[in-house]
Amino acid sequence: MSSFADELRLAAAAVWEAQHDHPFVRGIGDGTLPVERFRHYVRQDYLYLVDYGRLLALGCARAPDLATMRRFAELTQAILVTEMDLHRSFAADWGVSEAELEAERATPTTRAYADFLLRTAALGDFSELVAALLPCMWGYAEIGERLAQAGPPAHDGYARWIATYADPEFQALASWCRELTDRLGAAADPAGRARMHAAFAESSRCELAFWDAAWRLEAPAG
């Protein structure tokens, strides 16, 4: 029996498969992605993580029960402290300094994605916030899992990236977000589920656009 999260994924299947087929993602998988494209991704992902932390903090504030508030608070702490430190270390391995990360300006794609998430978190209901959050967590888990199944590339940096998102701990985080989405979808009325569908679909499109922007080496917004 399919869940509500599965229903969302099925409705956005074409966009998700386009992610798997994108040359940026395939280039990570086979180790052929040009390094300058991945460095572009690393710099923009740093900016994205800052606003992702804001999204999680808003999720904590808007969560309907203490257990969910606690989980969002833990995730916010993990992103803003542990993950940001790890990202700076990871970026350094790719020749991207902390000063470069701090000086980076968002591309139009990064800005549009962050603006969509934060607008949804501020103006939508909690179920929309979670539906907008899910494609990032689940999408990375799915990409990591698929690429890992194909075997690690010879490129150590890309192999490390794949292992991060194929890791059981990250897979469990994606499962938690799917389960939360299922609960919220079950409790929502038809209009609420339609809003969740719209949020999930738009966030999925933003994920695909983010890969593509890195592939195109999109310039920062003016």
Side-chain angles (χ1 to χ4, degrees), residues 45-58 60 72-88 102:
D45 197 46
Y46 182 80
L47 299 179
Y48 172 82
L49 283 172
V50 174
D51 282 329
Y52 190 69
R54 292 189 175 101
L55 174 68
L56 293 171
L58 287 166
C60 176
F72 270 88
E74 291 168 351
L75 289 172
T76 304
Q77 174 77 1
I79 289 293
L80 295 181
V81 179
T82 306
E83 185 65 24
M84 297 301 287
D85 286 344
L86 287 173
H87 197 93
R88 283 187 283 266
E102 295 299 334

Side-chain angles (χ1 to χ4, degrees), residues 20-38:
H20 289 292
D21 290 339
H22 196 280
F24 188 96
V25 173
R26 287 190 285 104
I28 292 175
D30 62 20
T32 63
L33 179 68
V35 170
E36 68 272 15
R37 288 183 165 96
F38 194 79

Side-chain angles (χ1 to χ4, degrees), residues 12-20 201 204-206 208:
V15 175
W16 281 55
E17 291 309 313
Q19 291 188 61
H20 289 292
S204 297
R205 288 188 289 268
C206 288
L208 175 58

Side-chain angles (χ1 to χ4, degrees), residues 61-141:
R62 304 200 64 191
D65 58 78
L66 183 59
T68 308
M69 287 178 67
R70 183 181 298 116
R71 188 62 186 272
F72 270 88
E74 291 168 351
L75 289 172
T76 304
Q77 174 77 1
I79 289 293
L80 295 181
V81 179
T82 306
E83 185 65 24
M84 297 301 287
D85 286 344
L86 287 173
H87 197 93
R88 283 187 283 266
S89 174
F90 183 64
D93 292 342
W94 287 86
V96 180
S97 69
E98 185 172 341
E100 286 181 273
L101 291 176
E102 295 299 334
E104 184 73 4
R105 293 183 295 120
T107 66
T109 297
T110 301
R111 181 177 293 175
Y113 192 3
D115 286 353
F116 162 71
L117 291 176
L118 295 177
R119 185 176 67 251
T120 300
L123 301 179
D125 58 31
F126 182 70
S127 62
E128 289 176 80
L129 184 157
V130 172
L133 172 67
L134 181 57
C136 180
M137 286 189 184
W138 190 4
Y140 272 69

